[in-house]
Structure formats: C-alpha cells, structure tokens
Amino acid sequence: MPDIDYGALAQAFRSLLPEEAIVTDPLRTFAYGTDASFYRLNPRIVVIAESEEQVRGVLALCRAQKAPVTFRAAGTSLSGQAVTDSVLVSLGEGFRSFGFEPEGAIARLGPSLIGGDANRLLSPFGRKIGPDPASIATAKIGGIAANNASGMCCGTGQNSYYTLASMRVVLADGAVLDTADPQSVAAFRAGHAALLDGLATIARDAREDAATAERIRHKFRLKNTTGYAINALVDFEDPVDILTHLMIGSEGTLGFLSRIDYQTVPDYRDKASAFIVFADLPSACRAVSALKRTPVEAVELLDRAALESVKSKSGMPIEVDGLGPGAAALLVEARGPDQAALKERIALAQAAIDPATTLNGVRFSHDPVECSRYWDIRKGTFPAVGGKRPPGTTVIIEDVAFPVERLAEATADLQALLHAHGYDKAIIFGHALEGNLHFVFAQGFEDQSEISRYAVFMEALSELVVGKYDGSLKAEHGTGRNMAPFVEREWGMRATRLMRRIKALLDPDSLLNPGVLLNDDPTIHLKNLKPMPKVSALVDSCIECGFCEPQCPSHGLTFSPRQRIVSGRELARLACDDPTSAQATEMKQTFAYAADETCAGCSLCSTVCPLEINTGDFIRSLRAEQAGPLAKKIGGGIGDHFAATLGATRLALAGADIAHKVLGTSAMQAAARVAHEKFSAPLWTPAFPRGIWPKPVSSGWEGEPVLFFESCASRAMGAPRGDDSENLREVATRVFSRAGYRLVTPEGQDELCCGQPFASKGLAETAERKVKELVQKLARHGRKIPVVFDTSPCAARAKSFSGDDYAPLDLVEFLTLHVAPKLDLRPIEGPVALHITCSVRKMGLADILLGLAQKCAQQVIAPADVKCCGFAGDKGFVTPELNDHALRHLRTSLPLECMEGYSTSRTCEIGLASHSGRRYRSILHLLDQATA
C-alpha cells in the first residue's frame, strides 16, 4: 500500500463537501470510528456523506490516492466490519429515504433509515421488512442488508437475500446500477459488459463444479453469513441478479448500497407467546424439532446459565433456583392474520409438545403485558452478562448455526467447550428453529495470556462447528474481522477461491473495506483489540453497542452517549499514558464542547440501553468534578436567594419584551444573534417568554384541596408577545374547579425549587439541598392532600426524592386519574401536536399523556422523529444549536393545518414553538378547551 497523504486528501474532500462534513481532529475521528465490536481502529478522516454524488466523489478521490474506504451506517455490527484506520464514510440523513409501492408490498429504503422506523412507516399497511435483528431499533437498512442480518423470526426465508426486490448500488469505479430502472440496467450492461461477463464466468465455473455447487447449496440450508453470499452463483443465471445478491452480506467490500428495495412481509397483529421450561436440554431440543414442523413464528432457546442470568426479571414463570443444572427453556411465539388462524396455529404447537416433558406445561398467553415480559426476559440475557463482567473486560457475543436435528448434542458440546477454556459464566441462547445459537462471555484483552486463551478457543470453536457438525461459524452477525481467518476452513479452498475472484473483479484495487470478510492474515482476529479502560462506575459497564444513539438529541450534531463514553475512556487512557501531550490537550478541548456542553442530560439513553446506563448522570458527574469553588459559591447563593433570582429573571424577560416592542421582530433577532455570538448572551427568538409576576387567584370553589406546585419556569415565564394565553395557574384553577378541586399553593413558593437547574450544571450539593427543602415543605401538606407538579421534569425529580410522607403526582397523572373522569370532554376539532417530554417517557407516562390528549382532540400528532427537544432547561437559550438540531424534523412532521401544540414543560414549549411556527402550551390548556 503506497503512502497516503491524508492531509491532501482531506483538502480534496473540501471541494465536494461542506467543512462540517469532514472530520480530522483526533477525538472526533476516534469517537466516530467506534462500532459495537471488540476491535479498535482510528480513522484518519471521517466523511459525513449526504448523497450518492458525494459518495461517488469521495470514492474517486480515494481511488486516485489508493486510500481504503469503509462505509458506516449505525455501527451496531459486532465483528469489526465497520472500523478502519483510513477513510470512514458515515451515512448522513440524506440517505434516510422511504418510499413504497401500492399497499406497501415493496418498500424502497435509504441505507441510513433505521430498520424500526421502516417498520413503523410500513405499519399502516400491515407489513414490515423481513429482517428483524435484535438491534432493529438502532441498526440501519444499509447495515442490515450489508450484513444480511436476520433475527428471531425471519429465519432464512425472510432475510435480505430472499426478500430483495431491487437495489441501487455504487461500485468501486463509481458506476451506478439501479435494478429497479430498466434504463439503468441497460446502460450498465453496455458499459460494464466485461464485469458482467466475469461474474457469469465465475457462476458458470461454480455450477459446473458439481461438488462445489452442492457444497454451496448444502451450506445455505442453515443461516450462514460466513464469507460472500455465493449461493447467488447457483441461484441465478443473469449476472445482474448475481451481482445484486452478492451485495447482500458483502459488508461494504464490493460496493455501496445507496438504496435497498424489499419485498415486505405480513406483520400480523394477533400473536401469543409461551415460556416453556424443561428439566434438561435434550428435551427442549426435541421440542424444537417438533415445533419446526408447525407454523410458529419464533422459538428461542435459553440454557440453564442464561436462565440464571435473568432469574430476577419480572414475569419469570418458574423459580429458577429450583431447576437442575441441565435445565433449559423455550420462548415460543405464534402469530396469525386473525384470531381464528392464531388459535389454529397455537393448537398445532401445543399438540407438538408433550406437556409431561415440561416443568410448567405448554400455555400460550395472549396478554400483551405478559408476553412483553417473556420477551424482556429473553432480551435481558445479553445485558446480564455485560453488566456483571469484570471492569476492563469486553463482551464477546458470537453466533453459530448447527443442523436443527443435532441441536441438543451441539449445544452440550458448545457448553463443554466454553467451560474447557475457562468461560464458566458464559451463557447460550438463540434462534432455535434455525439451529442458530448465540453465546456470550466476558473477555479481557489486557494481557497476552488472555489473548492466547481467546485464540485457542476460536480454533477449537471452528473445529467443533465446522469439523464435527458442518455448521456455520457466522449465522447472522457477518464475517467481519473476527471470522475472516476461518472462511476457508468453513468453505474449503475451491469455494473460497470463488469469493476471492469476486472481490478481485468488483474491487481490483482492494480499496473497499480491506481486511474484512477475506484476509490472508491468520491472526487478524487477534489484532487491534479494543481496550476498555475504567473511567467511571456510572458507565464502565458500557459495551459500546450504540443502542442509545437514536434517542440522543445531540447525535449527529456532536456526540452520542456511546461517543461520550468512548471519548471519556480515551481521555482516561491518555491521562495515564501521556497526559501532557498536544494531542491530549486538543482532545480535552474538543470533549468540553462535543461531550459536555452539548449534552442535554435528558437521560433518554438509559431507557433503551440494555444495561440502563445513564450517560446524562456521567456528564453531570464530570460537571460536578469540574465545578470550582466560585461556581459552587454562586450556585449556593442563588439557591439561598431563589426568590430574588426569580425576580431578576422576570425583570430580564420584561426588558427583552420591551426591546422587542420597540425594535420589532427582525431588528430584535439580528441584535440578539450578535449579542449571543459575541457575548454569549441567551439567544432571543420570537417565542421568547414575557416575564410574569405571581398574583392571587381565587378558585371560586370550595372543593377538595390540591396542592399545586409550579416550576420556576412556569412562575417566571409567560406567553410570548402576541400570545394572549393565560398563565398556567389561572388555567389550573379553572379546570380543577370544574372537577371539584380547590387549588392551593405552598407558602413561600418563590423560594422553592426542585433543584434540577443546579443538578444539570453539576452543582450537586445545592441541588440536593433545594430538593430536600422542597420535599420537606410539600410533605407537610402531602400527608393530607394530593401534591401535583405542573411540569414533568420537576415531578420526576421530586418523585426520586420522595419518601413515605407523600407521593407527588405529575400533572399528567392527576389530570388523567382524577380530573378528566369527572368532566364532560368534547374533543376539539382539527389536529393538534403533542410533545412527549423526556421526563414523561422516563416516568412511564407517555401512553397516558397520549391517551389524555386523544380524549381532548379529534386528531393528535406526536412526531416519531422528535424525542428530546434539546432545550434542556436553559440550553435552548445558551446552546441553541442543540435545540435546533433536536427539532430539525419538527416543522416538516406537522401538517399545515396543525397550529396548536401541547406538552408538559414550559421551557420545552419555548423551543417547540420557535422551531415549529406553532403555539405550544401546557396539556392543561388543551383539557381546558375540551371541557369549556
């Protein structure tokens, strides 16, 4: 490989892409270059590509420099196929396209669209894509197709290979082929006749070699992602079809998939699940063989160690401690187009298993809550190992496939193999219907003895899977770097030679993701192993899977939670190895903005993290460490004189409103932008609130008392100029009285605060003091009357500090449980927007809030693309780019006729109004209208 001038290459990229799309600084390339595997390579350049033309331009420049290129979608791959030490092309939102043919029979999907989002968009048609990897809520279409990912239900018949309708692909030479467009196909046949002839020759050679052809057909009877999808050589004769199907599972080594068109599959709503426990593994595996002949959707196997790892999970239908050492369980799901069909399929499944061979019978539950608990148990196995692993180790999760008829024997052999190599705490689970087993164990790579142990184990594993059972070394996770040295061992020399001919034909310079899938280095799987230095007990268990990323409001602007943890680990390593280097200093400066300043601290990452890691807490802990004596003193002073602080805030808001009145909107915005950029003043927008002062409000009703606590934002921030909305307390008084409640407020409310503003800035001592002061004050009343918080972030924090004295209620809870049932609701006409705040989601009240809104309005739109709004207390004022980025899809997600929006946080409503062009108010205003 010639020397590559990456500085010149980065400069050349600037002629194609905006500056912000080209990343070369050491911390961001390190963070952006991380994937879910246990390999670490640091890209020299990261390019954020938004269009096919940009990808083609990057490829052309890289060809000129002979610079290797790796494509990255979500980075959830587990085998090292999405890391590089050269140029990483990360897919931006420009590739997040979605289209469909009538009734959703074919879905045309961009490679940057998340698989779960594709299914959500197909849901109205009762359809979904076939692949269903466990990472589908994070994994993107490009990665799903490039790895031929499957999952619990799709088996082999519904994976990307078998449900591919057409494809748009960019080859290494920049040529584009769109097989859905006859003109594109004709032009490609004319311009790339030699390439197609070469593929036809390879396919003919494969078919004419009877032993090789039979070997290919035999190997793909199982799930198999080891090497290329050379079943295309025997399944198709047209070289265009061969080419597109070779792209599936090629891991970015043959071309760039710029659109994938799937034949969708039915998404049956009627389903039921059974969690069946057996005394021994052979009995469970015999049941699998019997179920294979029935129309069940999925059968998941859990060995005894897997059951032990999740024995405390809610919904476990049997006492695990009482099971013998060889016990196992099956989680079975049946689905049907209607209840009658489902009932028939359940009957067939039940008839296939003798209940006498089980410990708890064969009972299918139709209860969605109970079924969800069963699947949570299954999904909890991987995190259970990851969360309990020793510090500094990583998690290895591998997947193999055995013939189903030999599953019991193979599982026992795999258990014995793991124990023989010291992996005593390993667990085994998997998609039993396909003979596909996953095994998970903790592995350290800090010393050579551990690396050697892993190397010996991998050799023994390949001998077991291939030598004894002729199974698949990689069933669904892709070959990557980890299995690249073993491809020939599984396939043999002749089939592997076909793969090498394919690679040489389509990528003659070997610039596309070199080293992945095929590799001449027999020890490549033992190199570039990812260190896992300790950084904080709050995040040390992170396995860098990336499941958190779609929830994060700063992902794509700066860092995601995974990238915050990754960069924190690297800084911790540098602090030990080379703390005063120029690189370490530069990285710290980048971290301050990318990881800290732009973190909303919303903690939505914890709601989807398999280990429930709260990266917001991690960043707040760093802020606490960095808070100096002066900051703590100022924070303490504000806490001690909170009423005065509120008064000053009201005056500042009133002053801004006067300036707005005098200058007009355009001039005010221009002046505010200058003040923000030059002096870091809070950024004013037309949605900026006016200051309001407390005034007594008479309820006019002698009803049951309710203690109503207003957040500091609600107390100080009124509606913006031009909006005549009443203050929240006035609306609450009126609505509560209609339901027979009398609103009261705590004495000295202006001095009270839940502490959230202080906690978010790392001023933990003041934050805790203020919330305890609040709890003590409210508890005096709360023993006798309901205590209701008007704002969800305050309610969530108060709940976390509440004891036995009182149970604070979020406004959503109180309105739903106590107010709305006593009122005559008449839903208002026209669509309304609903924003579900982070706090509502974390408190588990999202569905309750949505249900309340749906009782008050005929149409409620809660945009799926909008999660945390990124306003984050005051960050919408001081770091407005975070709010801008988080709400970039809001305006286009709402129909033009939708002019009103509702939420449960005053500051969130400011940002929402600013970015949508609509008025956003408290959900209480909506209930007021529906009960007027």
Side-chain angles (χ1 to χ4, degrees), residues 150-151 223 299-301 398-402 404 407 429-438 474-477:
S150 48
K223 277 187 175 182
V299 177
E300 293 292 300
L301 171 71
E398 277 300 347
D399 74 309
V400 295
F402 299 105
V404 176
L407 187 60
F429 58 89
H431 317 317
L433 272 185
E434 306 299 332
N436 177 194
L437 297 181
H438 300 304
K474 297 296 288 190
E476 61 178 4
H477 289 175

Side-chain angles (χ1 to χ4, degrees), residues 38 70 84 118 213 231 284 380 496 539 686 697 781 812 841 865 870:
F38 51 93
T70 294
T84 180
N231 46 336
T496 305
V539 297
V697 179
H781 301 277
V812 174
R841 295 178 191 273
D865 282 340

Side-chain angles (χ1 to χ4, degrees), residues 867-891:
K867 297 181 175 70
C868 173
C869 72
F871 208 92
D874 65 349
K875 283 195 177 294
F877 298 130
V878 298
T879 313
E881 62 270 28
L882 176 60
N883 188 225
D884 295 345
H885 182 75
L887 296 180
R888 64 196 181 280
H889 299 301
L890 177 59
R891 189 181 293 266

Side-chain angles (χ1 to χ4, degrees), residues 509-667:
D509 296 323
S510 193
L511 296 181
L512 300 182
N513 215 5
V516 168
L517 200 142
L518 294 173
N519 200 305
D520 293 326
D521 184 349
T523 61
I524 189 64
H525 63 305
L526 305 175
K527 297 177 179 177
N528 302 304
L529 299 168
K530 182 186 288 184
M532 301 289 274
K534 292 186 287 185
V535 60
S536 166
L538 293 169
V539 297
D540 283 341
S541 61
C542 174
I543 54 180
E544 299 181 10
C545 66
F547 284 15
C548 55
E549 292 188 336
Q551 301 295 320
C552 181
S554 63
H555 181 221
L557 172 68
T558 52
F559 281 174
S560 68
R562 167 167 65 175
Q563 292 161 351
R564 288 183 168 88
I565 294 170
V566 165
S567 55
R569 284 172 169 166
E570 179 64 1
L571 289 176
R573 185 189 67 79
L574 288 174
C576 296
D577 296 349
D578 195 6
T580 60
S581 68
Q583 184 182 37
T585 300
E586 182 182 356
M587 283 185 164
K588 289 177 185 176
Q589 292 171 346
T590 304
F591 186 91
Y593 177 75
D596 183 355
E597 189 176 338
T598 53
C599 177
C602 63
S603 302
L604 281 184
C605 48
S606 66
T607 65
V608 293
C609 172
L611 302 175
E612 299 181 357
I613 294 169
N614 190 328
T615 311
D617 284 348
F618 169 55
I619 296 300
R620 281 185 285 271
S621 73
L622 297 181
R623 292 170 183 168
E625 291 174 7
Q626 296 162 3
L630 179 59
K632 292 179 180 178
K633 184 176 181 179
I634 293 173
I638 292 173
D640 290 338
H641 304 91
F642 202 73
T645 302
L646 274 185
T649 301
R650 292 173 177 126
L651 287 172
L653 294 174
D657 182 55
I658 293 171
H660 180 201
K661 181 179 180 180
V662 172
L663 296 175
T665 300
S666 297

Side-chain angles (χ1 to χ4, degrees), residues 826-877:
R826 293 181 294 277
I828 66 172
E829 295 182 0
V832 301
L834 181 70
H835 177 68
I836 302 173
T837 65
C838 313
S839 301
V840 167
R841 295 178 191 273
K842 290 184 292 183
M843 288 187 289
L845 301 176
D847 289 341
I848 293 175
L849 174 58
L850 180 60
L852 176 63
Q854 289 171 336
K855 291 177 182 177
C856 297
Q858 293 178 356
Q859 183 183 0
V860 178
I861 300 168
D865 282 340
V866 178
K867 297 181 175 70
C868 173
C869 72
F871 208 92
D874 65 349
K875 283 195 177 294
F877 298 130

Side-chain angles (χ1 to χ4, degrees), residues 127 170 221 353 357 515 543 626 732 765 778 804:
R127 312 288 293 179
V170 180
R221 80 199 189 284
I353 303 175
T357 65
I543 54 180
Q626 296 162 3
E765 183 178 331
L778 298 184
D804 297 330

